[in-house]
Amino acid sequence: APPRTMAPAAPRLVLGLLVLSLCCEACKKVIFHVPSELEADTLVGRVDLKECLQSVEFVSSSDGNFKILEDGSVYTTSAISLSAEKTFTILLKDIQEDVQKKIHVSLVEEEKKKTRHARDTVLKRTKRRWGPIPSVMIENALGPFPLQIQQVQSDTAQNYTIYYSASGPGIDQDPKGLFYIERETGNIFATRAVDREQYPSFQIICFATTPDGYSPEVPLVHTIRIEDDNDNAPYFTQDLFEFSVPENSKPGVIVGKVTAEDRDEPYTLHTTLKYRIVSQNPPVTPAFSLHGDTGVITVLLPQLDRELVPSYTVLVEARDMAGQPFGLCTTGTAVIRIEDTNDNAPSFKQLQYETRVEENRMNVEILRVSVVDLDQPGLPGSAAVYEIIRGNDDRSFEITTDKNTNEGVLCVVKGLDYESAKQRILVIAVNNEAPYMLAPHSQQLSQSTCSVTVHVMDLDEGPVFKPCLLRLDVKECEDVGTSIGRYVAEDPETGNSEGICYRIVPGQCNWISIDEKSGEVRTIKVLDRDVGEMRQGQCNITVLAIDRNGKTGTGTIQVVIQPGNKNYPRIAKTEYIMCRDRKPICLTAQDGDEAPYSTPFVYRITDRSLASSWKIMRHNDNSVYLSPKGDIPFGIYSIPVSVTDNGGKVGESHITVNYCDCITPTECNDETRSLRDGNVTLGLWAILAMILGSLLLLLILITICGCCGSGVMHRHVTDDCANHNLIISNTEAPGEEVMDHNIIPLQNTNDQGGYGIKTGDQQTFEMVKGRGHTLESVKGGGHQTLGSVKDGGGQPVMDTCRYSYSEWHNFTHPRLGEKVHLCRQDEEQKHSEDYLLSYNYEGKGSLAGSVGCCSDQHEEEALDFLDQLEPKFRTLAETCVKR
């Protein structure tokens, strides 16, 4: 049977494993095993939507390549090729219950069956099984009974029995005796009619035996399906559906959804329902429409006016067989209430009001105003909000809303003065709490207003202070009897101060007094911000003004004491320890006064002699750094430092600094060096250290002179004559020990290297003579020493210990060539080209020219480059010159 919504024309069924999936409780994931290639309009599978959400109003897919029908069928909209697992989401919505759920669907490529090759094919002979097609029985069949359902026969047996009869899936009880089989013919009969809603299908196990009781056949499991008959009318899930929609909603706005169900077989015409509206009450222009397939009710009339029709009662019908006339039907009721919106502006019942009030009356109600609003009472669309838009510049009036009556209550919050104004005219406007919404049937908004005339009634009043609060600023520590101001009152009737006397209410601050007749205010004590009632820096005093008739008026004097400069700045900490790192000391002063009589402070050393050896550097507004200017002896210093505040007051403190020969201040104690009256005394250990240092220096000089003037001067040189600059070592760390017979080790006993200097116009290399190995003692007789090169023989001679550059070059050049030649051979004494490579072109020449002694120089004048050394190397050369 076709689904409730017709599938696309000629749908293609997927060849493979199709899963009718039931969702888990969380409605999370459904898996379909499908071929790798899917064409358009192909049925992929079916999802049971009601297992996830009972009332589904809208179904959508997150992937446009798939569409979901209302019965849960999943179809492709275009050809799809699966190269990997493909996932998408089915979104389910229930608008009425405001519920939304998701089902995650995964498409997995099904495993392809392995095909056997021709040579692997094995033919086996098997016996043909007896297996009739499944039987079908009409629900509620009329008979006559017993009714033959099916016949099962075997080629090798004649007797048939039903061994066991089982009910279909989901049925708890087994209907014994519902079916039986003829022993000789194999005909299966039903004994009575069956209700499909109770037993949708059955499975019976049939046995075939020979007359002697042998069973040549495997038991046959036979399925009998009960074919549905449209014997159940649909029914609505609720007895009464209740919905609401705002008035003036546009056509197409969803109101709600009615749902009906049918107990007949799902996904057939017997359960394919159609909805329609039968009637509407009140029977005016149809206001709503009903979607025939989904049961969704939407707005049809563009002018839903709550003030005209507050609610609608709609009779709806649900009919199966896709709404055909012969289908079974049922009816239900839906009540749709129209929600109020603020489409009616409030208006005053009266446009003009008059009222009276006595002057100086406060917080009294003087008038109530009311409005008319057609919107629903008790909602923000009808709640009135009143506002005085004109005539209340001094904020003497206030209007509020009585929530019970929706009236505006006008009150006086400040006393009115008859002498200033005998009447006041107010303009009051009204709005609603909710914003106004212009509806098709409503008019343009025009704010409703009314005018109120308030008449002020005259009364005999007492004196009035102007101003009612007088502030008097007084400097701290003023003299007693100082006049700080004048505070007078006036008679509001006459406008003058004649005949008024003044008094201070007893029990208040007794720091000031007021003249009884003139109102002049004077101090009777010295005002101090830090004493008594003036701790907060101010004091409020209530003053009485009494006229001739005994009428009394009150006023307040606020005495504010301005801070003065009464404290001297002082340095909090005055004793410090300074170690030999000469870390500056931070001095911080304190002042009990407030701004502007405190910071910034100015520091100064008052002693001229100490000011020449100590200095002060600014840190911030109230701190400085104290440090010595140059090298000073260790000891204790007392430094007078003056601090001047911003008001000019100066405070002096003596800073004691113990300048100690220590690393941390804790190392210093009372036995450290001290300075008294500018004289420094050295300790015993300092004098002893100076004497020992002088003796050690003298001993070193004597030793050097003895070494240079003694011993036999043998002319010899080690293999590397520049061993003062390059240290020869057999270890090339980090690495392995290098033992090469071409490297001559140095003896560390008394060997002395040599260095070259240039003296005058003659270039020579001076060698300091000492005990060591000559060239002959290391390499044998086949080589020359530097002395033999110079003298022509192999015997060292005594001379002036100097060699010319030509002598040095003739000795070192052949040996360097021999070393380079040996380096280019491997362990088997074979030539190795990849060890040292010769290049015909080495790029552009260096701007520095020759690299000195390492280049091929044949003339002694080649050492002229020593005159153009850089400053650092020139200093090194001067150090190495033997003076």
Side-chain angles (χ1 to χ4, degrees):
R4 295 172 63 180
T5 300
M6 297 302 292
R12 300 175 178 84
L13 185 63
V14 175
L15 297 178
L17 179 58
L18 289 179
V19 182
L20 175 59
S21 302
L22 299 178
C23 301
C24 61
E25 288 184 354
C27 301
K28 289 298 182 182
K29 192 170 183 180
V30 174
I31 301 176
F32 292 114
H33 293 271
V34 297
S36 60
E37 300 293 336
L38 296 176
E39 298 182 0
D41 299 330
T42 301
L43 175 63
V44 176
R46 181 175 295 155
V47 179
D48 194 343
L49 304 181
K50 290 190 177 181
E51 287 290 334
C52 189
L53 187 61
Q54 286 293 329
S55 179
V56 180
E57 297 179 3
F58 290 98
V59 183
S60 62
S61 171
S62 62
D63 193 339
N65 293 324
F66 301 92
K67 61 182 177 181
I68 316 300
L69 302 185
E70 293 184 358
D71 62 349
S73 299
V74 181
Y75 284 87
T76 59
T77 59
S78 60
I80 298 176
S81 177
L82 295 180
S83 58
E85 180 180 353
K86 187 173 185 62
T87 61
F88 62 93
T89 303
I90 299 176
L91 180 63
L92 310 178
K93 290 185 180 179
D94 185 349
I95 298 177
Q96 183 176 353
E97 299 295 335
D98 192 18
V99 178
Q100 176 176 312
K101 291 192 176 181
K102 295 181 179 180
I103 301 176
H104 301 285
V105 180
S106 296
L107 301 185
V108 180
E109 183 180 359
E110 65 182 2
E111 296 182 359
K112 297 182 180 179
K113 297 181 179 180
K114 297 181 179 180
T115 58
R116 297 177 62 90
H117 297 285
R119 64 176 181 271
D120 297 334
T121 303
V122 177
L123 299 178
K124 293 183 179 180
R125 183 178 297 276
T126 59
K127 183 179 179 181
R128 184 181 64 182
R129 289 207 55 190
W130 60 311
I133 62 175
S135 302
V136 176
M137 179 180 176
I138 302 298
E139 179 186 14
N140 300 321
L142 299 178
F145 292 100
L147 178 65
Q148 182 178 355
I149 302 302
Q150 181 63 274
Q151 182 182 20
V152 294
Q153 289 184 339
S154 173
D155 296 338
T156 59
Q158 292 98 16
N159 298 330
Y160 305 94
T161 58
I162 296 178
Y163 176 74
Y164 180 76
S165 175
S167 60
I171 305 303
D172 297 332
Q173 298 179 353
D174 176 24
K176 299 294 185 180
L178 179 58
F179 301 98
Y180 71 91
I181 187 170
E182 287 185 346
R183 185 178 182 84
E184 296 81 8
T185 63
N187 291 326
I188 300 175
F189 292 89
T191 60
R192 63 180 182 272
V194 181
D195 186 4
R196 194 206 65 85
E197 284 71 34
Q198 185 179 6
Y199 303 108
S201 64
F202 298 91
Q203 286 182 346
I204 60 176
I205 303 176
C206 303
F207 282 83
T209 60
T210 59
D212 55 0
Y214 172 71
S215 299
E217 301 288 354
V218 178
L220 173 65
V221 179
H222 185 61
T223 301
I224 302 176
R225 188 175 64 85
I226 307 303
E227 185 173 345
D228 182 51
D229 183 25
N230 191 19
D231 57 342
N232 292 283
Y235 62 92
F236 283 97
T237 57
Q238 298 180 24
D239 296 334
L240 180 66
F241 293 91
E242 293 183 347
F243 308 107
S244 61
V245 63
E247 62 177 332
N248 305 315
S249 295
K250 296 181 180 180
V253 174
I254 296 176
V255 178
K257 180 181 180 181
V258 294
T259 56
E261 295 180 353
D262 198 319
R263 285 188 289 268
D264 291 324
E265 185 177 0
Y267 313 116
T268 64
L269 282 176
H270 297 165
T271 55
T272 302
L273 306 181
K274 284 288 185 180
Y275 302 91
R276 72 182 183 91
I277 295 177
V278 179
S279 63
Q280 171 186 296
N281 187 30
V284 293
T285 305
F288 305 97
S289 63
L290 179 62
H291 193 279
D293 295 328
T294 62
V296 176
I297 302 175
T298 57
V299 175
L300 181 62
L301 184 65
Q303 296 180 357
L304 291 178
D305 190 357
R306 189 206 63 84
E307 288 72 33
L308 296 178
V309 181
S311 66
Y312 293 86
T313 301
V314 180
L315 184 65
V316 296
E317 177 190 84
R319 185 181 294 270
D320 60 13
M321 300 301 292
Q324 299 184 37
F326 53 83
L328 302 178
C329 66
T330 187
T331 58
T333 303
V335 176
I336 303 173
R337 293 182 176 85
I338 308 302
E339 295 179 350
D340 181 55
T341 58
N342 190 21
D343 56 347
N344 293 281
S347 60
F348 284 99
K349 293 181 179 180
Q350 188 176 337
L351 299 181
Q352 293 183 351
Y353 296 87
E354 288 191 9
T355 185
R356 297 176 180 275
V357 63
E358 295 178 353
E359 66 174 335
N360 301 323
R361 293 288 303 275
M362 294 185 298
N363 299 321
V364 293
E365 178 184 330
I366 61 175
L367 182 65
R368 282 180 174 253
V369 296
S370 57
V371 295
V372 177
D373 197 324
L374 299 179
D375 292 319
Q376 184 176 355
L379 296 180
S382 63
V385 178
Y386 300 92
E387 180 186 7
I388 302 174
I389 61 175
R390 194 161 55 247
N392 191 31
D393 297 337
D394 58 352
R395 305 290 181 182
S396 298
F397 300 91
E398 184 180 87
I399 188 168
T400 58
T401 303
D402 188 339
K403 298 298 183 181
N404 297 323
T405 62
N406 209 30
E407 294 177 327
V409 181
L410 182 63
C411 300
V412 177
V413 294
K414 289 184 180 179
L416 301 178
D417 187 7
Y418 174 81
E419 289 72 24
S420 299
K422 296 180 175 57
Q423 71 176 19
R424 301 282 295 272
I425 299 177
L426 307 176
V427 178
I428 301 175
V430 63
N431 293 301
N432 292 127
E433 291 182 1
Y436 179 75
M437 299 180 61
L438 184 62
H441 58 80
S442 60
Q443 299 178 355
Q444 292 290 338
L445 175 63
S446 58
Q447 191 177 37
S448 179
T449 59
C450 71
S451 63
V452 179
T453 302
V454 181
H455 299 280
V456 183
M457 301 173 63
D458 187 23
L459 293 176
D460 186 12
E461 303 171 275
V464 178
F465 282 99
K466 293 186 178 180
C468 61
L469 175 64
L470 176 65
R471 171 172 173 156
L472 297 177
D473 293 335
V474 186
K475 290 185 178 180
E476 193 174 14
C477 302
E478 287 281 2
D479 296 335
V480 176
T482 302
S483 176
I484 59 176
R486 189 166 177 265
Y487 195 34
V488 296
E490 296 180 355
D491 189 339
E493 307 296 335
T494 61
N496 56 51
S497 302
E498 295 180 0
I500 299 177
C501 61
Y502 305 95
R503 297 177 186 174
I504 294 177
V505 177
Q508 299 185 85
C509 179
N510 58 351
W511 296 69
I512 66 173
S513 64
I514 187 170
D515 188 87
E516 184 176 354
K517 294 183 179 180
S518 63
E520 186 176 10
V521 181
R522 294 179 178 273
T523 61
I524 58 176
K525 290 184 179 180
V526 177
L527 303 184
D528 191 347
R529 291 170 54 89
D530 301 327
V531 180
E533 300 175 359
M534 292 296 183
R535 287 188 183 276
Q536 302 299 327
Q538 68 179 28
C539 181
N540 294 335
I541 302 172
T542 302
V543 181
L544 299 178
I546 306 172
D547 61 8
R548 294 187 181 93
N549 298 326
K551 296 286 184 178
T552 304
T554 59
T556 303
I557 298 176
Q558 185 182 56
V559 180
V560 179
I561 302 178
Q562 300 296 332
N565 192 15
K566 63 179 181 179
N567 296 299
Y568 294 91
R570 299 289 181 183
I571 297 177
K573 183 180 178 181
T574 59
E575 295 184 358
Y576 299 90
I577 296 177
M578 178 182 290
C579 291
R580 57 172 173 258
D581 59 357
R582 301 163 60 96
K583 184 178 181 180
I585 298 171
C586 184
L587 303 180
T588 302
Q590 297 178 351
D591 195 330
D593 298 322
E594 297 181 1
Y597 301 110
S598 56
T599 58
F601 298 134
V602 177
Y603 293 76
R604 189 172 65 87
I605 300 175
T606 58
D607 191 325
R608 291 186 178 182
S609 60
L610 292 176
S612 61
S613 58
W614 292 83
K615 63 180 178 178
I616 289 177
M617 294 180 295
R618 181 180 178 84
H619 177 216
N620 51 34
D621 287 346
N622 61 341
S623 300
V624 295
Y625 288 119
L626 176 65
S627 61
K629 288 185 178 179
D631 293 334
I632 61 174
F634 295 108
I636 299 176
Y637 297 85
S638 180
I639 306 170
V641 178
S642 65
V643 185
T644 306
D645 62 16
N646 197 35
K649 283 203 171 185
V650 181
E652 184 170 339
S653 302
H654 283 77
I655 308 303
T656 302
V657 181
N658 184 0
Y659 182 32
C660 180
D661 185 9
C662 61
I663 298 177
T664 60
T666 57
E667 298 178 6
C668 274
N669 50 35
D670 296 339
E671 297 179 359
T672 55
R673 306 161 186 81
S674 60
L675 178 66
R676 290 292 181 270
D677 300 329
N679 296 325
V680 180
T681 303
L682 295 179
L684 178 61
W685 290 106
I687 298 174
L688 182 60
M690 295 173 61
I691 295 174
L692 292 176
S694 301
L695 294 176
L696 180 62
L697 180 61
L698 181 61
L699 181 61
I700 293 173
L701 293 176
I702 294 174
T703 303
I704 294 174
C705 295
C707 292
C708 293
S710 63
V712 179
M713 297 278 216
H714 296 283
R715 186 186 303 273
H716 66 276
V717 65
T718 59
D719 197 21
D720 189 348
C721 296
N723 58 0
H724 273 69
N725 296 325
L726 299 177
I727 299 175
I728 300 177
S729 173
N730 289 341
T731 302
E732 300 177 357
E736 301 176 355
E737 287 290 328
V738 180
M739 301 302 296
D740 190 351
H741 61 279
N742 295 306
I743 299 178
I744 304 174
L746 285 175
Q747 301 297 326
N748 296 329
T749 55
N750 291 319
D751 292 356
Q752 298 290 332
Y755 54 86
I757 60 173
K758 180 178 180 181
T759 58
D761 295 331
Q762 182 179 2
Q763 295 177 351
T764 62
F765 277 85
E766 179 179 352
M767 303 299 297
V768 179
K769 305 302 183 296
R771 293 184 179 180
H773 296 281
T774 62
L775 196 57
E776 290 83 0
S777 64
V778 177
K779 297 295 293 184
H783 298 276
Q784 296 176 334
T785 64
L786 191 59
S788 63
V789 173
K790 178 178 180 181
D791 300 332
Q795 299 296 328
V797 296
M798 298 292 294
D799 60 3
T800 60
C801 301
R802 295 180 179 272
Y803 301 99
S804 66
Y805 177 79
S806 299
E807 295 171 346
W808 178 260
H809 181 269
N810 294 335
F811 173 71
T812 58
H813 189 72
R815 294 201 44 78
L816 289 177
E818 180 182 354
K819 287 186 177 182
V820 171
H821 177 73
L822 293 176
C823 287
R824 297 183 63 184
Q825 294 180 359
D826 54 16
E827 297 178 355
E828 299 178 357
Q829 306 300 320
K830 295 182 180 180
H831 192 67
S832 177
E833 290 294 338
D834 58 352
Y835 189 81
L836 294 176
L837 300 179
S838 300
Y839 292 89
N840 294 329
Y841 175 70
E842 295 184 354
K844 188 176 180 180
S846 172
L847 296 177
S850 172
V851 295
C853 62
C854 296
S855 60
D856 190 8
Q857 299 287 344
H858 298 285
E859 300 295 334
E860 295 183 358
E861 288 75 20
L863 293 178
D864 291 341
F865 72 92
L866 293 174
D867 293 333
Q868 287 81 28
L869 293 176
E870 292 295 328
K872 293 183 178 179
F873 293 94
R874 189 179 303 116
T875 303
L876 178 62
E878 293 174 358
T879 304
C880 297
V881 170
K882 185 176 181 181
R883 300 184 183 277

